[in-house]
Amino acid sequence: MTRHFIPANIGLSTAPRLSEILTPETNSFGVLRLLMASLVLISHSYLYSAGTSEAEPLTAWLGQSLGEYAVQVFFLLSGVMVAQSFDRSRNPADFAVARGLRIFPALIVCVLVTAFVLGPIVSDLSLSQYFASPGLYTYVAKTLSLSTGAAPLPGVFENLPYAGFVNSSLWTLKYEVICYVVLAALGFVGLFEVRRRRLAVGGLLLVVATVTLTLPSDPAQYGLIDNVRYFTVFFFGGALVYLVRERIVIAGILLVPLFAVFVASANTMFAEVGSAVFLGYGSLYLGTMRFGRLREICNRYDISFGIYIFAGPIQQTLLWLAPGISPLLLTFAAFVIVVPLAFVSWIVIEGPSLRLRRGVMERIRGAFRIGTVGA
């Protein structure tokens, strides 16, 4: 099969449209996901080493850490691709199965290995005390239910700078799933219907432009609804872009004024909107680049999720073994361990789980007679 790829262009006249780069053969979104997962790991090396995100140099300048910007890009790309997934299937059950198989198999393994293999090794408690502690089973229940990503394990990492945190990356998964549910509900009532396109675009544009304007100035004060509003601007910004994909021209020349908007809006009430506009468009532009052999590897082995969910416990363990290790050395050592682990996760857990989708849907269709499996 011939594979086509749309090269990145600077000028408007030769620039591709978003609708032309929405397949793995025509974009490098897999490379971007790998890059964003790596940036989260780098950012967390400063967080874990110092116990605060303020230790990262970028935070003082733009008010947010490198990891926060990376997560924003994750949600933007997710909004684009997940919206496409629902639009193609138009089957809520198929959509739910696909999303569940992407997140939970690897997450379950990560949580169980962290709780029942790593935890007893690094805990300050004896084995009998550790396994008798209700906190162990509370950690598993709360983390797998996505009710929190900050549940502690008994006696684990309590004396480190970022004390008690086992895997700080997992807290975003709850909001990812909430976005999935809201998108599915909107899709069910006609978000992707062509005859309602103007209404859908206008409604999403209004929400994305205003939903974060009245957020508390201090993210530490965010509650559940505040966090939902925060992630809405990015995820549904991506969904909005997907709806107007035929009109989105991806040209490098537009990055200059958008970067000016991004910098000007930093540390203001428009910071999230500015980030969504610049980072979203910048991600699409980078997605048109080839990246050579790396793009092919990322399309075959999507290790970004594995890096994202396994890095935290590894970094904290390295700090437990070598207190005072610098963020740079911590980053290097964590990459050496987590990248092979993420490959194993994809080959053994994530990839095979995704291949179960059609079989699971056939069983659901047979049980409930709900229609054919989507694309």
Side-chain angles (χ1 to χ4, degrees), residues 47 71 88 96 103 113 128 159 166 251 323 330 369:
L47 172 66
V71 169
R88 289 182 172 183
I103 291 178
V113 170
S128 59
N159 298 313
V166 178
L330 177 60
R369 301 176 183 178

Side-chain angles (χ1 to χ4, degrees), residues 306-366:
I307 292 175
Y308 189 78
I309 66 173
F310 286 105
I314 290 172
Q315 288 170 286
Q316 286 285 65
T317 300
L318 288 170
L319 280 167
W320 178 77
L321 290 170
I325 186 174
S326 72
L328 292 179
L329 286 177
L330 177 60
T331 296
F332 176 77
F335 268 121
V336 168
I337 298 171
V338 78
V339 170
L341 182 60
F343 270 105
V344 172
S345 177
W346 174 258
I347 294 169
V348 178
I349 304 167
E350 298 167 62
S353 296
L354 290 175
R355 291 193 288 272
L356 295 175
R357 175 181 176 181
R358 185 167 294 275
V360 171
M361 276 308 303
E362 290 294 342
R363 290 179 178 272
I364 293 176
R365 283 200 307 120

Side-chain angles (χ1 to χ4, degrees), residues 67-295:
E68 289 174 295
Y69 286 120
V71 169
Q72 291 172 8
V73 173
F74 264 130
F75 272 77
L76 284 160
L77 291 177
S78 183
V80 174
M81 304 312 295
V82 173
Q84 178 181 238
S85 175
F86 187 92
D87 189 24
R88 289 182 172 183
S89 71
R90 298 296 179 91
N91 184 325
D94 184 33
F95 177 77
V97 168
R99 295 302 95 208
L101 290 175
R102 186 65 191 96
I103 291 178
F104 284 100
L107 176 63
I108 290 170
V109 172
C110 176
V111 170
L112 294 182
V113 170
T114 301
F116 294 104
V117 179
L118 177 64
I121 296 173
V122 300
S123 176
D124 294 333
L125 304 180
S126 67
L127 285 178
S128 59
Q129 291 174 319
Y130 181 82
F131 284 104
S133 173
L136 168 61
Y137 308 99
T138 299
Y139 171 84
V140 174
K142 286 187 173 182
T143 308
L144 289 182
S145 67
L146 305 184
S147 62
T148 179
L153 280 169
V156 171
F157 305 142
E158 292 181 348
N159 298 313
L160 296 183
Y162 203 49
F165 283 86
V166 178
N167 196 342
S168 57
S169 296
L170 300 186
W171 78 277
T172 65
L173 297 182
K174 170 169 60 178
Y175 300 101
E176 180 91 2
V177 171
I178 290 173
C179 289
Y180 294 163
V181 172
V182 174
L183 179 71
L186 292 175
F188 187 75
V189 299
L191 178 68
F192 298 98
E193 297 292 339
V194 175
R195 59 191 175 90
R196 298 178 180 174
R197 183 57 46 87
R198 290 186 178 180
L199 177 62
V201 170
L204 280 186
L205 182 60
L206 178 63
V207 169
V208 169
T210 62
V211 69
T212 58
L213 297 185
T214 57
L215 282 175
S217 58
D218 183 3
Q221 299 176 1
Y222 285 10
L224 173 66
I225 300 302
D226 295 321
N227 281 317
V228 170
R229 292 165 59 197
Y230 173 84
F231 286 114
T232 289
V233 73
F234 302 105
F235 184 89
F236 286 97
L240 172 62
V241 165
Y242 173 76
L243 289 181
V244 295
R245 59 195 178 277
E246 299 288 348
R247 298 180 178 273
I248 299 293
V249 178
I250 305 172
I253 194 171
L254 296 178
L255 290 173
V256 176
L258 293 181
F259 180 71
V261 171
F262 169 68
V263 173
S265 64
N267 296 309
T268 72
M269 64 186 298
F270 301 101
E272 288 77 17
V273 177
S275 291
V277 172
F278 172 68
L279 295 180
Y281 194 86
S283 298
L284 297 180
Y285 179 71
L286 290 175
T288 66
M289 295 183 176
R290 294 180 182 274
F291 291 103
R293 178 66 174 162
L294 180 60
R295 181 181 67 86

